[in-house]
């Protein structure tokens, strides 16, 4: 995995302070020179971090005034506000335990259906068909828990996965690039459940989502860096004096 750019550490620390209310909505962040001293990084690193926070709609940069925390940072969560990262973490927590429970409660008929879903995923000629088999695979596991609360929770998580545009786009981007690994991970989940090994089933499910969330992070980082470069190029063009020599 590629080494993370240093500014992401600053982004995470500032976001944590915003979430805790240290910097409430409408408040101004410390000046650039103060942030340099607080986090022991260079000015360019702080500028990259501020741009990343601006891209995430956590802050607003007011020229000549400072950097202010946006009102949206403290708003109540909604389906539209759930990120692909939050969804994937929630799925890992809920579906990891669902897999463990299913491993000791699954019926032979359900196990056969689970194997069929895995086979369908492997033989699918399109990403949409593979996604359908993928969802069926997870739904069979949730049903095998014999727990309606778990079934409802997983169904709601899949509604977000299927219907929220930003989540759909993020998942489509990473799922289309890791098909072989996706099949391998689901096979490990199936094998653990087939052996009635709850601990192995939980671990296999966690491994699946761990790989997915890291893939989402890498894709998000790449897009954020593109946006940072675009904004930097715009600023460079605004203040460049090279055109004066033409």
């Amino acid at each position: 995995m590629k080494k993370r750019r240093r500014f992401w550490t600053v982004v995470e620390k500032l976001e944590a302070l915003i979430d805790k209310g240290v910097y409430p909505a409408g408040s101004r962040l410390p000046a650039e020179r103060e942030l340099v001293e607080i986090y022991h990084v260079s000015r360019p690193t702080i500028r990259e971090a501020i741009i990343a926070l601006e891209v995430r709609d956590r802050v607003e940069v007011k020229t000549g005034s400072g950097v202010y925390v946006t009102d949206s940072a403290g708003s109540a969560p909604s389906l539209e506000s759930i990120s692909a990262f939050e969804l994937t973490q929630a799925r890992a927590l809920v579906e990891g335990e669902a897999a463990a429970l299913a491993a000791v409660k699954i019926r032979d008929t359900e196990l056969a259906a689970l194997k069929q879903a895995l086979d369908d995923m492997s033989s699918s000629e399109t990403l949409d068909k593979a996604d359908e088999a993928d969802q069926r695979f997870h739904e069979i596991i949730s049903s095998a828990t014999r727990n309606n609360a778990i079934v409802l929770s997983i169904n709601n998580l899949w509604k977000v996965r299927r219907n929220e545009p930003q989540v759909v786009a993020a998942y489509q981007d990473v799922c289309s690039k890791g098909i072989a690994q996706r099949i391998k991970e689901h096979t490990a989940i199936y094998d653990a459940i087939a052996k009635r090994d709850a601990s192995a089933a939980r671990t296999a499910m966690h491994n699946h989502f761990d790989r997915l969330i890291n893939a989402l992070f890498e894709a998000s980082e790449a897009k954020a860096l593109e946006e940072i470069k675009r904004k930097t190029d715009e600023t460079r063009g605004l203040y460049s004096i090279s055109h004066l020599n033409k």
Side-chain angles (χ1 to χ4, degrees):
M1 190 181 298
K2 294 184 293 185
K3 185 178 180 180
R4 294 180 67 195
R5 295 284 297 277
R6 197 172 185 184
F7 74 88
W8 283 112
T9 301
V10 179
V11 170
E12 290 171 354
K13 290 181 178 179
L14 286 173
E15 280 194 325
L17 292 174
I18 291 172
D19 292 338
K20 290 178 181 177
V22 175
Y23 299 125
S27 66
R28 185 165 66 88
L29 293 184
E32 183 180 285
R33 64 178 180 278
E34 294 178 59
L35 293 174
V36 167
E37 294 176 0
I38 292 171
Y39 295 110
H40 306 290
V41 295
S42 65
R43 283 178 178 263
T45 296
I46 293 299
R47 290 167 191 157
E48 287 181 320
I50 295 302
I51 291 173
L53 287 169
E54 188 178 19
V55 169
R56 293 186 176 196
D57 197 30
R58 303 307 304 268
V59 302
E60 179 183 3
V61 179
K62 297 182 180 180
T63 304
S65 178
V67 180
Y68 292 82
V69 178
T70 58
D71 291 338
S72 62
S75 59
S78 63
L79 288 180
E80 294 78 10
S81 70
I82 296 175
S83 71
F85 297 103
E86 292 170 321
L87 175 65
T88 306
Q89 184 182 57
R91 288 186 64 194
L93 293 171
V94 177
E95 296 199 48
E97 294 310 309
L101 193 56
V104 297
K105 292 192 174 186
I106 196 165
R107 296 168 180 161
D108 289 342
T109 53
E110 291 169 321
L111 192 59
L114 193 64
K115 181 61 166 63
Q116 185 60 58
L118 178 61
D119 290 343
D120 290 345
M121 200 187 314
S122 302
S123 61
S124 295
E125 296 180 356
T126 66
L127 184 60
D128 285 343
K129 290 295 184 183
D131 284 347
E132 289 176 9
D134 187 350
Q135 181 171 350
R136 183 158 31 98
F137 183 93
H138 288 271
E139 287 175 343
I140 292 167
I141 292 174
S142 70
S143 178
T145 65
R146 310 280 177 266
N147 186 310
N148 288 331
I150 291 177
V151 172
L152 180 62
S153 297
I154 292 176
N155 285 344
N156 285 335
L157 291 172
W158 270 99
K159 285 181 182 178
V160 177
R161 162 73 175 86
R162 284 295 191 186
N163 298 313
E164 292 308 313
Q166 63 169 344
V167 173
V168 172
Y171 266 70
Q172 187 171 28
D173 187 37
V174 299
C175 289
S176 62
K177 298 175 183 177
I179 296 175
Q181 186 61 30
R182 181 185 188 183
I183 299 302
K184 182 179 179 180
E185 291 161 0
H186 283 78
T187 299
I189 295 168
Y190 169 80
D191 288 344
I193 292 176
K195 293 175 183 176
R196 306 302 203 269
D197 189 332
S199 179
R202 180 188 296 110
T203 298
M205 188 67 80
H206 284 171
N207 287 342
H208 168 53
F209 284 115
D210 183 59
R211 192 271 306 173
L212 180 56
I213 203 165
N214 277 297
L216 286 168
F217 180 84
E218 289 183 357
S220 176
E221 183 179 45
K223 289 180 181 179
L225 289 173
E226 287 178 6
E227 181 65 13
I228 288 168
K229 184 179 184 303
R230 185 186 68 78
K231 285 180 172 286
T232 300
D233 288 344
E234 286 181 356
T235 304
R236 183 183 294 113
L238 181 64
Y239 294 108
S240 175
I241 63 171
S242 61
H243 64 281
L244 298 177
N245 298 321
K246 295 180 180 179

Coordinates of all heavy atoms in Angstrom, one line a residue, residues 155-197:
N155 N -30.4 -5.1 5.9 CA -31.2 -4.6 4.8 C -31.1 -3.1 4.7 O -31.0 -2.6 3.5 CB -32.7 -5.0 5.0 CG -32.9 -6.5 4.7 OD1 -32.1 -7.2 4.1 ND2 -34.1 -7.0 5.1
N156 N -31.1 -2.4 5.8 CA -31.0 -0.9 5.7 C -29.7 -0.5 5.2 O -29.6 0.5 4.5 CB -31.3 -0.3 7.1 CG -32.8 -0.4 7.5 OD1 -33.7 -0.4 6.6 ND2 -33.1 -0.4 8.7
L157 N -28.6 -1.2 5.6 CA -27.3 -0.9 5.2 C -27.2 -1.1 3.7 O -26.6 -0.3 2.9 CB -26.3 -1.7 5.9 CG -26.1 -1.4 7.4 CD1 -25.1 -2.5 8.0 CD2 -25.5 0.0 7.6
W158 N -27.9 -2.1 3.2 CA -27.9 -2.4 1.7 C -28.7 -1.3 1.0 O -28.4 -1.0 -0.2 CB -28.4 -3.8 1.4 CG -27.3 -4.8 1.4 CD1 -26.9 -5.6 2.4 CD2 -26.3 -5.0 0.3 NE1 -25.8 -6.4 2.0 CE2 -25.4 -6.0 0.7 CE3 -26.2 -4.5 -0.9 CZ2 -24.4 -6.5 -0.1 CZ3 -25.2 -4.9 -1.8 CH2 -24.3 -5.9 -1.3
K159 N -29.7 -0.8 1.6 CA -30.5 0.3 1.0 C -29.6 1.5 0.7 O -29.6 2.1 -0.4 CB -31.6 0.7 1.8 CG -32.8 -0.3 1.8 CD -33.9 0.2 2.7 CE -35.1 -0.8 2.7 NZ -36.2 -0.4 3.6
V160 N -28.7 1.8 1.7 CA -27.8 2.9 1.5 C -26.8 2.6 0.4 O -26.5 3.4 -0.5 CB -27.0 3.2 2.8 CG1 -26.0 4.3 2.6 CG2 -28.0 3.6 3.9
R161 N -26.3 1.3 0.5 CA -25.3 0.8 -0.5 C -25.9 0.9 -2.0 O -25.1 1.2 -2.9 CB -25.0 -0.6 -0.2 CG -24.3 -1.4 -1.3 CD -22.9 -1.0 -1.5 NE -22.3 -1.9 -2.5 CZ -22.4 -1.7 -3.8 NH1 -23.1 -0.7 -4.3 NH2 -21.8 -2.6 -4.7
R162 N -27.2 0.7 -2.1 CA -27.8 0.6 -3.4 C -28.3 2.0 -3.9 O -28.5 2.2 -5.1 CB -28.9 -0.4 -3.5 CG -28.5 -1.8 -3.5 CD -27.7 -2.1 -4.8 NE -27.5 -3.6 -5.0 CZ -26.8 -4.1 -6.0 NH1 -26.3 -3.3 -6.9 NH2 -26.6 -5.4 -6.1
N163 N -28.7 2.9 -3.0 CA -29.5 4.0 -3.4 C -28.8 5.4 -3.2 O -29.3 6.4 -3.9 CB -30.8 4.0 -2.6 CG -31.7 2.8 -2.9 OD1 -31.9 2.5 -4.1 ND2 -32.2 2.2 -1.9
E164 N -27.8 5.5 -2.4 CA -27.1 6.8 -2.3 C -26.1 7.0 -3.3 O -25.1 6.2 -3.4 CB -26.5 6.9 -0.9 CG -27.6 7.0 0.2 CD -28.6 8.1 0.0 OE1 -28.2 9.2 -0.4 OE2 -29.8 7.8 0.1
P165 N -26.2 7.9 -4.2 CA -25.3 8.1 -5.4 C -23.8 8.1 -5.1 O -23.0 7.5 -5.7 CB -25.8 9.5 -6.0 CG -27.2 9.6 -5.6 CD -27.3 9.0 -4.2
Q166 N -23.4 8.8 -4.0 CA -22.0 8.9 -3.7 C -21.5 7.6 -3.2 O -20.3 7.3 -3.5 CB -21.8 10.0 -2.6 CG -22.4 9.7 -1.3 CD -21.9 10.6 -0.2 OE1 -20.9 11.3 -0.3 NE2 -22.7 10.7 0.9
V167 N -22.3 6.8 -2.5 CA -21.8 5.5 -2.1 C -21.8 4.5 -3.3 O -20.8 3.8 -3.4 CB -22.8 5.0 -1.0 CG1 -22.4 3.5 -0.6 CG2 -22.7 5.8 0.3
V168 N -22.8 4.6 -4.1 CA -22.8 3.7 -5.3 C -21.6 4.0 -6.2 O -21.0 3.0 -6.6 CB -24.1 4.0 -6.1 CG1 -24.1 3.2 -7.5 CG2 -25.4 3.6 -5.3
A169 N -21.3 5.2 -6.4 CA -20.1 5.6 -7.2 C -18.8 5.1 -6.6 O -18.0 4.6 -7.3 CB -20.1 7.1 -7.4
A170 N -18.7 5.3 -5.3 CA -17.5 4.9 -4.6 C -17.3 3.4 -4.7 O -16.2 2.8 -5.0 CB -17.5 5.3 -3.2
Y171 N -18.4 2.6 -4.4 CA -18.3 1.1 -4.4 C -18.0 0.6 -5.8 O -17.3 -0.3 -6.1 CB -19.6 0.5 -3.9 CG -19.5 0.2 -2.4 CD1 -19.5 1.2 -1.4 CD2 -19.5 -1.1 -2.0 CE1 -19.4 0.9 -0.1 CE2 -19.5 -1.4 -0.6 CZ -19.4 -0.4 0.3 OH -19.4 -0.7 1.7
Q172 N -18.7 1.2 -6.8 CA -18.5 0.8 -8.2 C -17.1 1.0 -8.7 O -16.5 0.1 -9.4 CB -19.5 1.6 -9.1 CG -19.5 1.1 -10.6 CD -20.6 1.7 -11.4 OE1 -21.0 2.8 -11.1 NE2 -21.1 1.0 -12.4
D173 N -16.5 2.0 -8.2 CA -15.1 2.3 -8.6 C -14.1 1.3 -8.1 O -13.3 0.8 -8.8 CB -14.7 3.7 -8.0 CG -13.3 4.2 -8.5 OD1 -13.0 3.9 -9.7 OD2 -12.6 4.8 -7.8
V174 N -14.3 0.8 -6.8 CA -13.4 -0.1 -6.3 C -13.7 -1.6 -6.6 O -12.9 -2.4 -6.8 CB -13.2 0.0 -4.7 CG1 -12.7 1.4 -4.4 CG2 -14.5 -0.2 -4.0
C175 N -15.1 -1.9 -6.7 CA -15.5 -3.2 -7.0 C -15.1 -3.7 -8.4 O -14.8 -4.8 -8.6 CB -17.0 -3.4 -6.7 SG -17.5 -3.3 -5.0
S176 N -15.1 -2.7 -9.3 CA -14.8 -3.1 -10.7 C -13.3 -3.4 -10.9 O -12.9 -3.9 -11.9 CB -15.2 -1.9 -11.6 OG -14.5 -0.7 -11.3
K177 N -12.5 -3.0 -9.9 CA -11.0 -3.2 -10.0 C -10.5 -4.3 -9.2 O -9.3 -4.6 -9.2 CB -10.3 -1.9 -9.6 CG -10.7 -0.7 -10.5 CD -10.0 0.6 -10.0 CE -10.4 1.8 -10.9 NZ -9.9 3.0 -10.4
G178 N -11.3 -5.0 -8.4 CA -10.9 -6.0 -7.5 C -11.7 -7.2 -7.5 O -12.0 -7.8 -6.5
I179 N -12.2 -7.6 -8.7 CA -13.1 -8.7 -8.9 C -12.5 -10.1 -8.4 O -13.2 -10.8 -7.6 CB -13.6 -8.9 -10.3 CG1 -14.3 -7.6 -10.8 CG2 -14.5 -10.1 -10.5 CD1 -14.7 -7.6 -12.2
A180 N -11.3 -10.4 -8.8 CA -10.7 -11.7 -8.3 C -10.5 -11.7 -6.8 O -10.8 -12.8 -6.2 CB -9.3 -11.8 -9.0
Q181 N -10.1 -10.6 -6.2 CA -9.9 -10.6 -4.8 C -11.3 -10.7 -4.1 O -11.4 -11.3 -3.0 CB -9.2 -9.3 -4.4 CG -8.8 -9.2 -2.9 CD -7.9 -10.3 -2.5 OE1 -7.1 -10.8 -3.2 NE2 -8.0 -10.7 -1.2
R182 N -12.3 -10.1 -4.7 CA -13.7 -10.1 -4.1 C -14.2 -11.5 -4.1 O -14.7 -11.9 -3.0 CB -14.5 -9.2 -5.0 CG -16.0 -9.1 -4.7 CD -16.7 -8.4 -5.8 NE -18.1 -8.0 -5.4 CZ -18.9 -7.4 -6.3 NH1 -18.4 -7.0 -7.5 NH2 -20.1 -7.1 -5.9
I183 N -13.9 -12.3 -5.1 CA -14.4 -13.7 -5.1 C -13.6 -14.5 -4.1 O -14.2 -15.3 -3.4 CB -14.1 -14.3 -6.5 CG1 -15.0 -13.6 -7.6 CG2 -14.5 -15.8 -6.5 CD1 -16.4 -13.5 -7.3
K184 N -12.3 -14.3 -4.0 CA -11.5 -15.0 -3.0 C -12.0 -14.7 -1.6 O -12.0 -15.7 -0.8 CB -10.0 -14.5 -3.2 CG -9.0 -15.2 -2.2 CD -7.6 -14.7 -2.5 CE -6.6 -15.4 -1.5 NZ -5.2 -14.9 -1.8
E185 N -12.3 -13.5 -1.3 CA -12.8 -13.1 0.1 C -14.1 -13.8 0.4 O -14.3 -14.3 1.5 CB -12.9 -11.6 0.2 CG -11.5 -10.9 0.2 CD -11.6 -9.4 -0.1 OE1 -12.7 -8.9 -0.4 OE2 -10.5 -8.8 -0.2
H186 N -15.0 -13.8 -0.6 CA -16.3 -14.4 -0.4 C -16.2 -15.9 -0.2 O -17.0 -16.5 0.5 CB -17.3 -14.0 -1.5 CG -17.9 -12.6 -1.3 ND1 -17.1 -11.5 -1.7 CD2 -19.1 -12.2 -0.8 CE1 -17.9 -10.4 -1.4 NE2 -19.0 -10.8 -0.9
T187 N -15.3 -16.5 -0.9 CA -15.0 -17.9 -0.8 C -14.5 -18.3 0.6 O -15.0 -19.3 1.2 CB -14.0 -18.4 -1.9 OG1 -14.5 -18.1 -3.2 CG2 -13.7 -19.9 -1.7
A188 N -13.7 -17.4 1.1 CA -13.2 -17.6 2.5 C -14.3 -17.5 3.5 O -14.4 -18.3 4.5 CB -12.1 -16.6 2.8
I189 N -15.3 -16.6 3.3 CA -16.4 -16.5 4.2 C -17.3 -17.7 4.1 O -17.7 -18.3 5.1 CB -17.3 -15.2 3.8 CG1 -16.5 -13.9 4.0 CG2 -18.6 -15.2 4.6 CD1 -17.1 -12.7 3.4
Y190 N -17.5 -18.2 2.8 CA -18.3 -19.4 2.7 C -17.7 -20.6 3.3 O -18.4 -21.4 4.0 CB -18.6 -19.6 1.2 CG -19.1 -21.0 0.9 CD1 -20.5 -21.2 1.1 CD2 -18.3 -22.1 0.6 CE1 -21.1 -22.5 0.9 CE2 -18.9 -23.4 0.4 CZ -20.2 -23.6 0.6 OH -20.8 -24.8 0.4
D191 N -16.4 -20.8 3.1 CA -15.7 -21.9 3.6 C -15.8 -22.0 5.2 O -16.0 -23.0 5.8 CB -14.2 -21.9 3.2 CG -14.0 -22.2 1.7 OD1 -15.0 -22.8 1.1 OD2 -13.0 -21.9 1.2
A192 N -15.6 -20.8 5.8 CA -15.7 -20.7 7.3 C -17.1 -21.1 7.8 O -17.3 -21.8 8.8 CB -15.3 -19.3 7.7
I193 N -18.1 -20.5 7.1 CA -19.5 -20.8 7.5 C -19.8 -22.3 7.3 O -20.5 -23.0 8.1 CB -20.5 -19.9 6.7 CG1 -20.3 -18.5 7.2 CG2 -21.9 -20.4 7.0 CD1 -21.2 -17.5 6.5
A194 N -19.3 -22.9 6.1 CA -19.6 -24.3 5.8 C -19.0 -25.2 6.9 O -19.5 -26.3 7.1 CB -19.0 -24.6 4.4
K195 N -17.9 -24.7 7.5 CA -17.2 -25.5 8.5 C -17.8 -25.3 9.9 O -17.3 -25.8 10.9 CB -15.7 -25.2 8.5 CG -14.9 -25.6 7.3 CD -13.5 -25.2 7.4 CE -12.7 -25.6 6.1 NZ -11.4 -25.0 6.1
R196 N -18.8 -24.4 9.9 CA -19.5 -24.0 11.2 C -18.5 -23.4 12.2 O -18.6 -23.6 13.4 CB -20.2 -25.2 11.8 CG -21.1 -26.0 10.9 CD -22.3 -25.1 10.4 NE -23.5 -25.8 10.0 CZ -23.7 -26.3 8.8 NH1 -22.8 -26.2 7.8 NH2 -24.9 -26.9 8.5
D197 N -17.6 -22.6 11.6 CA -16.5 -22.0 12.4 C -16.8 -20.5 12.6 O -16.6 -19.7 11.7 CB -15.1 -22.2 11.8 CG -14.0 -21.7 12.7 OD1 -14.2 -20.9 13.5 OD2 -12.9 -22.3 12.5

